Amino acid sequence: MDDDWPSASPGVRELIRQGAQIVSDPRAEWAEALHEAALGGVRMKPISDDPILAEGVRRTNLANTMRWAHHNIDHPGERVPALLTAEIMGATRELVRRGLDESSLDSFRSAQGVAWRMWMAICFQLTSDIDELQELLDVTSRSIAAFIEDSVAAMSEQMRAERAELSRD
């Protein structure tokens, strides 16, 4: 665990675990809202108009959501390390092959806003204790933001490596 990562109280760790279990079995409308946010906007048009790229973004969204949820089931409140799964590597490779750059990864930040609103709704169902709720929201806000930033950084690095490999071919 990071030395400077906030430590959650035992009660809040249990709330995080319970909430992450809910997230690990997402409702269809949640997944669709995440996908719409990630693929929406003018900058994402080249991706959303391409069925292969759009599907890659959807798979990556789901993989990242499951990564965050499963890590918080097993290690509630701890920093979630980025993980470049086969789905994420494939989607990243396809973006580079289609001539897209790291700005296409901004879609994950758009989806993060939707994920945060969904997470807050879950949190408000888990506890009505104001102190617990404040700690729960604080710890998980940092967790979600750090996970997205770390994931985008890892995907950006992978895109640079893919671009370098393509330029050698």
Side-chain angles (χ1 to χ4, degrees), residues 39-166:
L39 293 167
V42 175
R43 292 178 61 194
M44 292 304 291
K45 192 133 179 67
I47 295 173
S48 63
D49 286 349
D50 184 307
I52 293 171
L53 294 179
E55 184 55 32
V57 168
R58 287 184 189 95
R59 281 194 312 271
T60 301
N61 272 339
L62 189 56
N64 279 334
T65 301
M66 292 302 103
R67 171 73 175 154
W68 187 87
H70 291 143
H71 188 82
N72 274 288
I73 289 169
D74 296 337
H75 310 284
E78 294 181 17
R79 189 174 189 138
V80 181
L83 177 68
L84 293 179
T85 64
E87 291 89 1
I88 293 170
M89 295 284 283
T92 303
R93 186 173 300 114
E94 196 60 37
L95 290 170
V96 170
R97 288 185 178 158
R98 304 285 179 100
L100 297 166
D101 63 15
E102 286 84 351
S103 67
S104 61
L105 300 177
D106 288 345
S107 65
F108 296 102
R109 291 182 183 92
S110 299
Q112 177 184 345
V114 172
W116 176 245
R117 287 190 302 277
M118 292 174 189
W119 176 253
M120 283 192 300
I122 290 169
C123 291
F124 279 93
Q125 293 173 12
L126 293 174
T127 185
S128 59
D129 180 289
I130 295 298
D131 293 329
E132 274 187 337
L133 185 59
Q134 182 178 6
E135 182 183 352
L136 175 60
L137 293 172
D138 181 56
V139 170
T140 55
S141 166
R142 293 175 194 211
S143 175
I144 291 168
F147 177 63
I148 293 298
E149 290 303 315
D150 293 348
S151 296
V152 167
M155 287 184 276
S156 292
E157 181 61 33
Q158 181 61 32
M159 288 179 89
R160 285 189 288 277
E162 291 287 338
R163 225 177 347 271
E165 185 178 313
L166 280 175

Side-chain angles (χ1 to χ4, degrees), residues 3-18:
D3 290 336
D4 59 346
W5 190 254
S7 179
S9 66
V12 168
R13 283 196 305 271
E14 179 57 24
L15 292 173
I16 292 169
R17 188 187 63 69
Q18 290 172 16

